[in-house]
Amino acid sequence: MRFFVPPAGIRDKTAIILDRDVLHQLTRVLRSRPGDHVVLLDNSGREFTVELTSISPKAIEGSVIDVKTNANEPTSIVTLYQALPKKLSLFELVLQKCTEIGVSRFVPIITERTEREHLGKIDRLHTIIREAAEQSERGRLPTLSEPMQFKTAIEHDNSELRLISHSRLQKNQSVNLPHPMPKTVSIYIGPEGGFTEDEITFSISKNLTPLSLGPRILRTETAAIVAAGKILI
């Protein structure tokens, strides 16, 4: 099993786990015993194999027996600018699946057709990201920003490649993604109903590149997953 823990919990050859969720998983769910091995991650890109030495409901201690660099982080840093869907559960799905795919940063955006402007229970969203990163064996946790206005997000976006999903592109308007991908990439996904023509026109005037996700109209959460896959897989 793999768990993200605060960096302060790993020092030299020792590790101590105090996080309630991790303690619950190890003591109640997995029923770990001294001598068991777990992999701890400090969000630096390193992973520590730890042999558990002491287990209690309030703290678990262990000895670090191996350290290596995680090999599963993508070479491109991808930021997903996702229009907030009306149902928060759809945004949670985007966080989970796109974390698994390899997105490094999530920025919720507010567009002309967005019906939600707030994230809700932020702790739950961070838990979804952490659990998805652990399950997919990543070495770093994606970050989640506060919601931004669509145009403000574009003005502050310095990625080398900036893409915006466009469901009405003709075949001769489709772009071929570069290979290899640039170091930093952004992808903008619209809300239910898509971006307005004014938003597409504005984005193109700011040198964003329209990207087709195929001939069929995708739901916003599907579009995010497909776009992330096109870039990272």
Side-chain angles (χ1 to χ4, degrees), residues 42-172:
D42 65 352
N43 204 31
S44 70
R46 296 178 298 169
E47 49 187 61
F48 303 81
T49 301
V50 174
E51 181 176 315
L52 305 182
T53 57
S54 174
I55 298 175
S56 77
K58 293 185 177 181
I60 293 177
E61 297 181 16
S63 299
V64 177
I65 59 176
D66 186 47
V67 183
K68 65 181 180 180
T69 300
N70 178 274
N72 298 328
E73 284 300 305
T75 55
S76 293
I77 299 172
V78 175
T79 301
L80 179 65
Y81 290 86
Q82 171 69 48
L84 278 171
K86 185 176 181 179
K87 294 181 179 178
L88 189 61
S89 60
L90 299 181
F91 186 65
E92 293 174 354
L93 179 65
V94 169
L95 293 179
Q96 181 188 60
K97 299 308 178 186
C98 291
T99 293
E100 293 175 19
I101 291 169
V103 167
S104 296
R105 181 180 174 227
F106 295 96
V107 182
I109 54 173
I110 301 167
T111 71
E112 292 183 29
R113 291 177 175 150
T114 299
E115 297 185 57
R116 168 186 286 272
E117 296 189 2
H118 304 288
L119 288 177
K121 296 180 179 179
I122 192 70
D123 288 345
R124 172 176 167 80
L125 300 181
H126 283 295
T127 296
I128 289 170
I129 290 173
R130 176 176 57 79
E131 290 179 350
E134 290 170 348
Q135 182 273 322
S136 56
E137 299 192 354
R138 294 190 59 174
R140 294 181 184 274
L141 290 169
T143 60
L144 174 62
S145 301
E146 290 293 322
M148 297 179 67
Q149 293 292 328
F150 171 68
K151 292 183 178 180
T152 302
I154 289 178
E155 296 286 2
H156 289 82
D157 181 6
N158 296 317
S159 294
E160 297 169 67
L161 176 63
R162 303 188 298 169
L163 304 166
I164 183 166
S165 64
H166 192 343
S167 60
R168 302 297 180 184
L169 281 178
Q170 301 298 317
K171 285 187 177 181
N172 61 359

